[in-house]
């Protein structure tokens, strides 16, 4: 979520039907009696039809979260004017209020960062082709050239950025990645098994839109070779975690997780194969929820109106 | 849900803390712009704090559903007055409106119907002992005496009603069950593996509060011996379904379902054993949701604000 | 499984390492004491190392099933000689014995039949690219041209076969499909959301190798529009089923099934989207197990040594 | 598993039918060609019928594991003689070989250690009543008196052992527990939410038969208040782990794990309630597998022939 002055962003170019178009409000503020009433009354005033609504009062932090999807056809004025009304309302709710208004009819984009392992990339390209992803994949950047051909076969530009072996010398490569990404001003920067730890400056720069898929059920098995760690510990389920990228490794707010059952007969190679099925679907779900404005971050936790 | 004139019922005697007490509104009506605003504004007027809220607009039927849990300590007047306010509001929403106001601080009761198979009964008695069930078990009625001792050890009265072999002669036995149940005016009549098909008149009499657990993933394997049916078909998962009882066998609105994985090595006996784990938890979840006013029935479908 | 005279088939070209090469025996016969001992003693005689073994005694049918993966490097003679030894042994076990010996180092192929819906195709092409599929995709045949471009981008030939609107006139189209498929003599014919009911003659012709993915948890919701059926019934989980194709619609032996949770807020369109994640993974698992000789059919049930 | 000189133990008194009686061999040894053949040939020699068989070759450690359930009615001599034959065979397989022969017709017992939280106790007592548990519960020991009444209602003796507040002074209490447990020489000592860390000496004393249920998906959230830890980290699934007790806290070999989905609306109290459903079933599964000789420990990992 952005601060009180939001950017208005799209839910993707995949929903062509005007009847399906929604204006989606997400808002987090200090909870107090009447917040819901104020928001819904504002919408009722102009006859807006709320087709989907989520609310959450967090007893732990005293914070209130909501997501309201308004049928665009029932809004009798322009998006900008609706935004202005919500801006005034958000102002009332105090300076810590964070909110956003999305137009599901506007174009939305993601840039993917990859390495050699293609299962998440194949999956996301396939979903984009099938119209399942509420965004266009604007570009794919790889630190290896391997996945270039298939990316371009999907009509998506691919950029190969060479990363030096010595981590201390990777600054210019990351700078090049930053430039290639920022050119698209994407709604999501997806580390689709990128296998590179983002520098703190990039984590800050893309805060709230850089999304990683980690191949373990966090907080178990942080860092390298999680399936090897899982094998050594003898766990009976393996998992994957989709989370926002923060400077602390694999410690960002979790968007989605899932697990799959393994047994003693599964070695690390079997785990890698079975884990991919979880990685694919966990990343795809997390990314979709992010793009549709379903994820609200509060501290280290997320509210997901899925 | 009852009709426009609701009975006020409790969420159970298990929540002793006044701070935890909630007044819970559930309401279903024809959807129109402003419904949410009207309800939440009414609550905001007296400074009520909404601690949990669920909304659902059903595009298919044009129906609107909500459940609002208001912190009782923030309601500056009596329950009856709150109910009167909501009654007036419900009136506005049209004659088809169905609503209910629950007081989580009031006592709530369930009566269980059982046969010989005790796994669901043991589970529910254990949950009641652990304070997990938002109701008291007022009585257990068995068509066999087998489960009497354990029931009474939990301090719950047990009644044995003898059922004749011939289904055509079971009328008086069902009549006796009806009397024993109705004496307690329970919030739920739970067929916890009762193994008897309720007569249509009893289904009607207990409509909306008779809950059954069926040991299959409905609509697969309706009727008798579902695990045998599942074995014969060679399915790879078995399940259980908690549903409201209606005259058509195993066809009532579904509250909850779940499944567990089996494989070729599992024979019917293994399925029975593994299925019990699913039956127990599916029934317990469904019953809790029913007792907490989380289940709204609309036609053959349910809205569950879990 | 083939009959007493088996074809020797490969587990795919994806396992290049000689150390990983296995000769895989699958066998089903009437159970009797000593069957396991006879098989394992034969392997022990020449010092064969069994790296994976599955056994199942079916009390219901009195049938015995086994799958034994022998490390190829520990077999001191040629594949054909090993096959001859097992052939002699199978002879002993009686005329109903069915068995097969696979060489995991040999090439294995699949032909895919598709329509317009690309999610399973994208997934399988991606898995083939990632080396996850123990087979090459030899060809894709579509009754619409839509998925041709992406198929060819993966270097796989695509054939468009036009199907007349009138089902009664589709004979020649099916004949053309049969010819295109049989040219590759594939180990699997995959109906990857083909949306056409195979004629009985083709079911018989490809018996034991035609695999379908049905978008419901069978036996629920057979036939057309299963998600619509699921929505109407109000189920709380939706599923997918991978099964061998037989003349009776959606009634073939089940290889694999799985489910995913939905709730009242999910309409048919949401089910379609969420169901795809299950369809993809259930088909991929079922196909892999089939290709690796892990699935033994007995009547309407399958033994799966996964 | 015991060492080369095994104790012969029962699979429980719950299987009265002679036709269901099995002699169950479990064995772990250094893998080599011919091990399976030697074992199964020995069984074939006397015409033994193997009704269930599991094998596992661990490529990582070069170890071989098997479990063979022989139909007792097909063994033409006494249990002791069968044991003597397997003892001689095990000798051949080398000094590190570990094996055990169980008689499913013999009585098997468990002693439960509890505190105040009764959900696992209620569940296990209920399962014992339903005949689901392949053992008798010989006694329950509580460090609080709360669960005494319900235990005794099930006809099971309850012992209250008072534990001093100061952990340094708990030695005599643990000594008393040890004596009460050892009097029954149980096949399993179950820490059913005992909430006390066993001293290292007791861990050693009950090695391989003390089983704990930990209310997290280990290795995440070791130690106290795992649900609070899970809430703070914002995970999307919570779990439970059944493991053998070793001196290092929550680090013993894992027998079984499972998880359940939570979301942002679930606070710690909700997690506690939902987690109980997982704890119950994970402990019950793990205990059953242990009692039926399905769990073979090797280092920090387990082989589970479930």
């Amino acid at each position: 979520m952005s601060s009180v002055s939001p950017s208005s962003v799209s839910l993707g170019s995949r929903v062509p039907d005007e009847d399906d178009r929604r204006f989606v409000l997400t808002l987090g503020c200090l909870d107090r009696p009447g917040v819901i009433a104020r928001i819904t009354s504002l919408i009722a005033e102009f006859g807006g039809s709320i087709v989907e609504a989520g609310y959450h009062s967090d007893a732990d932090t005293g914070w209130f979260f909501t997501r309201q999807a308004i049928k665009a056809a029932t809004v009798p004025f322009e998006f900008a004017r609706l935004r202005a009304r919500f801006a005034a309302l958000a102002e009332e709710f105090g300076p810590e209020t964070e909110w956003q208004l999305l137009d599901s009819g506007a174009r939305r984009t993601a840039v993917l960062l990859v390495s050699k392992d293609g299962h998440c990339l194949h999956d996301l390209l396939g979903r984009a082709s099938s119209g399942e992803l509420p965004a266009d994949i604007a570009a794919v950047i790889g630190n290896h050239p391997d996945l270039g051909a298939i990316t371009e076969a999907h009509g998506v530009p691919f950029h190969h950025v060479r990363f030096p072996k010595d981590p201390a010398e990777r600054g210019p490569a990351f700078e090049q990645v930053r430039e290639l990404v920022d050119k698209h001003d994407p709604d999501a920067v997806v580390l689709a098994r990128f296998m590179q730890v983002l520098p703190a400056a990039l984590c800050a720069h893309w805060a709230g839109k850089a999304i990683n898929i980690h191949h373990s059920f966090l907080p178990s098995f942080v860092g390298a070779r999680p399936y090897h760690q899982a094998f050594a510990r003898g766990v009976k389920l393996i998992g994957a975690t989709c989370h926002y990228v923060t400077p602390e490794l694999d410690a960002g707010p979790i968007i989605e997780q899932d697990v799959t059952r393994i047994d003693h007969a599964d070695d690390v190679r079997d785990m890698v194969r079975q884990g991919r099925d979880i990685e694919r679907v966990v990343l795809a779900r997390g990314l979709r929820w992010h793009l549709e404005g379903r994820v609200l971050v509060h501290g280290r936790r997320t509210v997901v109106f899925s």
Side-chain angles (χ1 to χ4, degrees), chain A:
Chain A
M1 282 199 306
S2 59
S3 71
V4 173
S5 297
S7 59
S8 69
V9 282
S10 81
L11 280 181
S13 57
R14 303 297 169 183
V15 188
D17 193 344
E18 186 59 26
D19 200 55
D20 280 335
R21 192 177 172 198
R22 277 104 181 77
F23 297 146
V24 179
L25 172 75
T26 57
L27 182 145
C29 67
L30 259 171
D31 200 4
R32 80 199 70 182
V35 174
I36 303 183
R38 293 284 292 122
I39 295 170
T40 55
S41 295
L42 187 155
I43 297 166
E45 262 170 44
F46 60 76
S49 175
I50 300 170
V51 289
E52 197 185 336
Y55 294 88
H56 175 54
S57 277
D58 197 296
D60 198 53
T61 59
W63 213 253
F64 168 79
F65 305 89
T66 190
R67 180 179 184 275
Q68 311 260 351
I70 307 160
K71 189 172 182 156
T74 65
V75 179
F77 37 75
E78 280 172 18
F79 182 78
R81 197 159 141 204
L82 183 62
R83 195 171 56 187
R85 292 205 179 185
F86 282 125
L89 192 66
E91 201 92 24
E92 281 181 41
F93 293 161
E96 288 181 288
T97 301
E98 295 196 352
W99 70 285
Q100 200 179 40
L101 188 66
L102 305 176
D103 175 358
S104 78
R107 190 174 178 258
R108 230 161 143 66
T109 56
V111 171
L112 315 186
L113 309 188
V114 302
S115 184
K116 284 174 167 180
D117 227 341
H119 58 283
C120 285
L121 175 67
H122 284 120
D123 184 66
L124 292 176
L125 289 170
R127 286 173 194 267
S129 289
S130 299
E132 274 180 58
L133 209 65
D136 293 326
I137 299 178
V140 175
I141 300 164
N143 66 341
H144 286 275
D146 309 36
L147 299 171
I150 188 60
T151 300
E152 285 164 359
H154 277 269
V156 174
F158 180 87
H159 309 282
H160 173 214
V161 174
R162 209 174 299 272
F163 273 67
K165 288 235 162 143
D166 183 353
E169 291 175 12
R170 289 183 188 155
F174 277 117
E175 182 53 26
Q176 201 185 334
V177 169
R178 194 189 60 71
E179 276 169 31
L180 285 165
V181 168
D182 286 358
K183 215 164 53 187
H184 299 280
D185 189 22
D187 301 293
V189 183
V190 183
L191 283 69
R193 300 298 308 270
F194 183 44
M195 311 305 281
Q196 297 285 338
V197 179
L198 286 198
L202 267 187
C203 293
H205 181 63
W206 291 327
K209 60 168 136 174
I211 291 173
N212 186 45
I213 180 73
H214 182 73
H215 41 312
S216 86
F217 182 71
L218 290 175
S220 288
F221 313 134
V222 164
R225 296 165 56 101
Y227 292 129
H228 288 78
Q229 295 182 54
F231 181 84
R233 182 60 189 93
V235 292
K236 299 301 183 187
L237 303 163
I238 53 169
T241 304
C242 177
H243 63 92
Y244 286 110
V245 178
T246 56
E248 190 187 343
L249 187 64
D250 299 330
I254 294 170
I255 304 171
E256 171 63 340
Q257 302 186 289
D258 216 335
V259 296
T260 193
R261 189 161 280 272
I262 53 163
D263 70 18
H264 58 263
D266 293 306
D267 60 20
V268 170
R269 214 158 52 165
D270 295 317
M271 290 186 187
V272 167
R273 193 196 60 242
Q274 285 172 244
R276 284 172 168 181
D277 283 341
I278 298 297
E279 293 169 43
R280 273 185 274 250
V281 79
V282 165
L283 176 56
R285 267 190 230 140
L287 177 57
R288 187 170 65 80
W289 293 341
H290 168 79
L291 290 167
E292 293 182 354
R294 297 179 180 279
V295 189
L296 288 74
V297 178
H298 196 66
R300 208 185 180 184
R301 310 180 75 242
T302 60
V303 172
V304 180
F305 294 116
S306 63

